Amino acid sequence: MRWMQTEMNGANQTVVTEFALLGLHDHHDLEMVLFVLCLGIYSMNVLGNALLIGLNMLDPHLHTPMYFFLSNLALIDISGTSSFMPLMLVHFLETQSTISFPGCALQMYLTLALGSTECVLLAMMACDRYVAICQPLRYSELMNRQACMWMAVLSWGAGFANSLLHSILTWSLPFCGHNVINHFFCEILAVLKLACGDISLNALLLMAASTVLTLAPLLLIFLSYVFILTAILRVPSAAGRHKAFSTCSAHLTVVVIFYGTLSFMYFKPRAKDLNMDKLLALFYGVVTPSLNPIIYSLRNAEVKAAAIALLRGDLLSRKMSRFPVVL
């Protein structure tokens, strides 16, 4: 653990140059188990979400707004876990885990940015389903390519701008030698606990950002599904109702898992054993993103059909046939 002494106004001050990540180093056997589990889940996450992105690119039937947003969600899930998982896996095998100051700043920025982006994107996906079910005749007009691009840009822009603001405020605080982060990675709340300055502004802005980027999208999702369910119940035939609801069920399942895990993690009574809180955060950051490709594969006939076509080689052959060979 390194730090350096600087002289400011005639007094010595300790400046942190790297952080120690505590993780579960007191339970090294458990870390070995977590290494195997997390490596398997991370591999499934990357492969599953990459498959969704690949299918969306290869299959013309998936070139619709819903699958455009799904590809963005898959990219967020890959990027979000990759921002901390590889280094965390290495740390599971080490007796001491350290991360440089710039590395910690980058890791905190990316994890917060991608988490915020996913909240907004799930709301955009709910709006897409609302238009598809409640305004079917105007769907092509309202959810055109330009509108979808702007909705995606808004999601990514809001998430990364929010993270940039919190990162600037966090790293402008003084860190006076306390450099042990009681977590697996550089999570913003764990980092703020090490600051030796006033963090009341940071706490206030975090609460405001949570309201705007977490609760507001959740409210929009809730209202969208109120209108969607109302429209579905008006469909006269049972087959029609089932078909309409099946287009929303995968997204609704993802929303319930995402917000359910998030709510349980932040609103439950604080555990007496802090290791339990860290394991719950690990579950939220690792397991939840890996479930999305499974949910969309099991509950979506178009994705299953595209996957079967890819396995048979039909998708690649159709793609290659568009590029005639010049002899």
Side-chain angles (χ1 to χ4, degrees):
M1 303 177 189
R2 292 194 296 269
W3 58 84
M4 59 184 182
Q5 299 285 335
T6 60
E7 190 169 324
M8 298 179 63
N9 299 326
N12 287 334
Q13 180 178 356
T14 304
V15 178
V16 174
T17 60
E18 69 176 18
F19 293 97
L21 295 167
L22 189 58
L24 292 174
H25 284 326
D26 293 338
H27 308 278
H28 192 61
D29 291 340
L30 179 57
E31 284 194 324
M32 292 297 98
V33 175
L34 287 175
F35 171 81
V36 175
L37 288 175
C38 290
L39 179 61
I41 295 171
Y42 176 59
S43 301
M44 183 174 67
N45 172 22
V46 173
L47 292 174
N49 283 297
L51 177 62
L52 282 179
I53 296 172
L55 290 175
N56 183 62
M57 295 174 62
L58 293 172
D59 193 342
H61 298 99
L62 302 183
H63 293 174
T64 63
M66 183 174 75
Y67 294 108
F68 168 74
F69 291 124
L70 178 58
S71 294
N72 277 264
L73 181 63
L75 181 59
I76 289 171
D77 288 336
I78 292 175
S79 304
T81 50
S82 297
S83 64
F84 68 92
M85 180 62 74
L87 184 61
M88 189 181 73
L89 289 172
V90 172
H91 288 168
F92 279 151
L93 302 177
E94 298 176 342
T95 54
Q96 259 193 343
S97 306
T98 58
I99 184 171
S100 67
F101 193 99
C104 187
L106 179 62
Q107 191 178 78
M108 191 191 82
Y109 173 73
L110 290 176
T111 52
L112 182 59
L114 292 162
S116 303
T117 301
E118 184 161 355
C119 290
V120 182
L121 184 67
L122 287 173
M124 297 297 106
M125 295 173 76
C127 293
D128 169 67
R129 292 298 83 207
Y130 163 77
V131 176
I133 300 298
C134 301
Q135 303 284 337
L137 298 180
R138 300 187 61 197
Y139 183 70
S140 299
E141 174 192 350
L142 296 175
M143 297 301 298
N144 56 58
R145 184 180 182 85
Q146 186 177 13
C148 292
M149 288 297 297
W150 276 112
M151 290 167 75
V153 168
L154 174 63
S155 302
W156 288 88
F160 277 76
N162 171 64
S163 183
L164 180 62
L165 172 63
H166 289 300
S167 295
I168 291 173
L169 290 174
T170 298
W171 299 115
S172 63
L173 293 168
F175 291 87
C176 315
H178 303 288
N179 67 335
V180 179
I181 298 176
N182 191 11
H183 215 295
F184 293 107
F185 56 94
C186 292
E187 193 259 348
I188 185 168
L189 294 178
V191 172
L192 283 174
K193 290 178 180 178
L194 302 184
C196 52
D198 182 14
I199 62 169
S200 56
L201 177 62
N202 301 74
L204 179 63
L205 288 177
L206 273 174
M207 186 178 299
S210 299
T211 302
V212 174
L213 293 178
T214 305
L215 297 181
L218 181 59
L219 178 61
L220 182 59
I221 292 168
F222 175 76
L223 291 175
S224 297
Y225 274 100
V226 167
F227 288 112
I228 287 170
L229 290 174
T230 302
I232 289 175
L233 292 175
R234 291 174 182 168
V235 177
S237 66
R241 289 194 296 269
H242 180 268
K243 182 179 179 181
F245 185 75
S246 65
T247 64
C248 308
S249 59
H251 174 257
L252 188 57
T253 304
V254 169
V255 168
V256 170
I257 292 174
F258 179 82
Y259 276 101
T261 309
L262 187 67
S263 301
F264 180 77
M265 187 171 65
Y266 284 105
F267 296 114
K268 70 172 183 61
R270 183 167 295 276
K272 294 180 180 179
D273 184 4
L274 290 179
N275 289 334
M276 184 58 66
D277 287 332
K278 288 187 279 187
L279 288 173
L280 285 173
L282 186 62
F283 176 87
Y284 170 74
V286 177
V287 178
T288 304
S290 66
L291 296 177
N292 293 346
I294 298 174
I295 293 167
Y296 274 95
S297 298
L298 293 177
R299 303 188 67 87
N300 194 294
E302 291 175 315
V303 173
K304 285 191 283 189
I308 292 171
L310 179 64
L311 291 174
R312 291 175 177 172
D314 296 342
L315 277 183
L316 291 176
S317 61
R318 286 202 299 263
K319 196 73 174 178
M320 295 300 295
S321 66
R322 297 184 180 182
F323 304 97
V325 178
V326 180
L327 297 176

